[in-house]
Amino acid sequence: MYFFVVNLSFLEIWYTSNIVPKMLLIIIAEQKTISVAGCLAQFYFFGSLTAAECLLLGVMSYDRYLAICQPLHYPILMTGSFCIKLAAGSWLCCFLLTSIIMVLLCRLTFCGPNEIDHFFCDFAPLVHLSCIDTSWTETIAFVTSSAVTLVPFFLIIVSYSCILTAILRIPSGTGRKKGFSTCLSHLTVVMVFYGTLIATYLVPSDNSSQLLHKGFSLLYTILTPMFNPIIYSLRNRYINEALKKCLSKKSGFLR
């Protein structure tokens, strides 16, 4: 499990590093210009890393399924080499699929005014700047994005349905509690990430909802990666003990 958590953490470092520095320049230094090449590069890494996170979350749900539903076979099935192949496949697949969309975007003709009403270069604002027919580009983007988001999402649903069934069959309350605690961190991350992602792209793209769209985008691009390390760290016994000591000292000081 921690091998995939390391991959997820590494991914989110690049995820935020791709968006936050330019966003801070826009807000603080008011440098609101970006080159076409820079904008396309930002979208490429944003799309690739978002898709890779979806696949990694799906792989992690499969890992939890094997750990709880087939614990005796777990060391045999989830070997080190197999984990590396799953992680590498997730990264490679997403970067290759996003490359297809990038090729289609680079073939578009952009007309003025070249202004994006967003804090980063997302697909929809870029396509709206084009003055030629973009239906084929949008169709390919829809198919690829649906594949890398919905397939892992259904895998997560199936995995956790099996996990829930297996946990409820455990006779002891201690065993059920241990089973739920094993999955709680990952399930929380999945709910936060997919919840904000779905809310962002289900919002209609009219002018009145543009502010709401940007607000949801801010959640899953910046706040979610910030909270994920905290969510996973709370499973660590030493961090929990240190947190309890810190809170007890503060409560004693307040008294």
Side-chain angles (χ1 to χ4, degrees), residues 88-248:
S90 299
W91 286 87
L92 185 62
C93 176
C94 293
F95 275 88
L96 288 176
L97 285 176
T98 311
S99 297
I100 299 173
I101 302 174
M102 276 297 298
V103 171
L104 295 173
L105 280 175
C106 290
R107 294 175 64 183
L108 296 178
T109 302
F110 297 102
C111 306
N114 294 327
E115 296 179 0
I116 297 176
D117 186 17
H118 216 307
F119 61 88
F120 71 96
C121 295
D122 203 355
F123 177 78
L126 277 173
V127 169
H128 289 160
L129 295 179
S130 177
C131 53
I132 62 173
D133 183 30
T134 60
S135 57
W136 176 246
T137 303
E138 292 182 53
T139 302
I140 296 296
F142 175 78
V143 172
T144 54
S145 60
S146 298
V148 296
T149 53
L150 295 180
V151 172
F153 185 65
F154 287 129
L155 176 62
I156 291 169
I157 291 175
V158 172
S159 297
Y160 274 103
S161 299
C162 297
I163 288 170
L164 182 62
T165 304
I167 290 175
L168 293 177
R169 288 176 182 172
I170 299 174
S172 64
T174 306
R176 287 195 295 270
K177 183 179 178 181
K178 186 177 180 181
F180 280 121
S181 66
T182 304
C183 306
L184 186 60
S185 299
H186 176 255
L187 189 58
T188 304
V189 170
V190 167
M191 290 173 64
V192 172
F193 177 75
Y194 267 100
T196 53
L197 193 67
I198 291 170
T200 300
Y201 292 102
L202 282 181
V203 172
S205 57
D206 56 358
N207 294 329
S208 60
S209 60
Q210 186 61 27
L211 184 62
L212 188 62
H213 181 88
K214 288 188 282 187
F216 282 122
S217 298
L218 186 69
L219 285 176
Y220 78 83
T221 55
I222 297 171
L223 296 182
T224 301
M226 183 179 71
F227 284 119
N228 284 355
I230 299 172
I231 294 170
Y232 279 109
S233 296
L234 291 177
R235 289 197 68 249
N236 189 294
R237 180 167 57 90
Y238 300 106
I239 293 178
N240 279 330
E241 290 176 358
L243 184 62
K244 288 178 182 177
K245 287 181 181 179
C246 181
L247 292 175
S248 63

